[in-house]
């Protein structure tokens, strides 16, 4: 199994309910083969800047081939398009 975690930063002034927005990505992501689980959670770390809402995403894949398929799958890009315009600069916490 491969665990893929992304922490996304959103501008607080751009949208009110990021968790609900991210929930809309679930049907798209879950339609990609090789995904065991897809979870979305509020990032409550004390290191998140005050003007940012932060969401964590955890995807578990059955193997590296499934992760590689996901990274190039059109459904992945379609899911990202639902929320990209609300992302902060920088958009990700590394």
């Amino acid at each position: 199994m491969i665990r893929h975690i992304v922490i996304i930063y959103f501008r607080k002034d751009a949208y009110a309910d990021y968790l609900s927005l991210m929930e809309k990505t679930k049907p798209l992501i879950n339609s990609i083969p090789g995904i065991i689980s897809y979870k979305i959670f509020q990032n409550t770390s004390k290191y998140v800047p005050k003007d940012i809402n932060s969401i964590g995403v955890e995807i578990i894949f059955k193997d590296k081939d499934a992760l590689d398929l996901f990274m190039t799958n059109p459904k992945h890009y379609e899911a990202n398009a639902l929320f990209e315009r609300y992302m902060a600069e920088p958009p990700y916490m590394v």
Side-chain angles (χ1 to χ4, degrees), residues 11-27:
R11 299 183 321 270
K12 276 190 177 177
D13 64 347
Y15 196 83
D17 188 358
Y18 292 101
L19 284 174
S20 292
L21 179 65
M22 292 299 295
E23 287 291 328
K24 293 178 182 179
T25 67
K26 278 188 171 183

Side-chain angles (χ1 to χ4, degrees), residues 8-83:
I8 305 170
Y9 281 175
F10 291 101
R11 299 183 321 270
K12 276 190 177 177
D13 64 347
Y15 196 83
D17 188 358
Y18 292 101
L19 284 174
S20 292
L21 179 65
M22 292 299 295
E23 287 291 328
K24 293 178 182 179
T25 67
K26 278 188 171 183
L28 294 165
I29 299 300
N30 285 329
S31 71
I32 301 172
I35 293 175
I36 295 170
S37 69
Y38 178 63
K39 297 178 185 173
I40 300 164
F41 53 92
Q42 184 74 42
N43 178 14
T44 58
S45 168
K46 66 181 181 179
Y47 300 107
V48 175
K50 293 191 184 311
D51 61 338
I52 298 295
N53 281 325
S54 183
I55 304 294
V57 177
E58 176 192 62
I59 307 172
I60 299 187
F61 298 92
K62 69 177 187 174
D63 55 26
K64 185 181 179 313
D65 290 339
L67 172 61
D68 292 343
L69 172 67
F70 168 80
M71 295 305 282
T72 60
N73 193 294
K75 294 290 184 187
H76 177 204
Y77 297 112
E78 191 177 337
N80 287 355
L82 294 173
F83 62 83

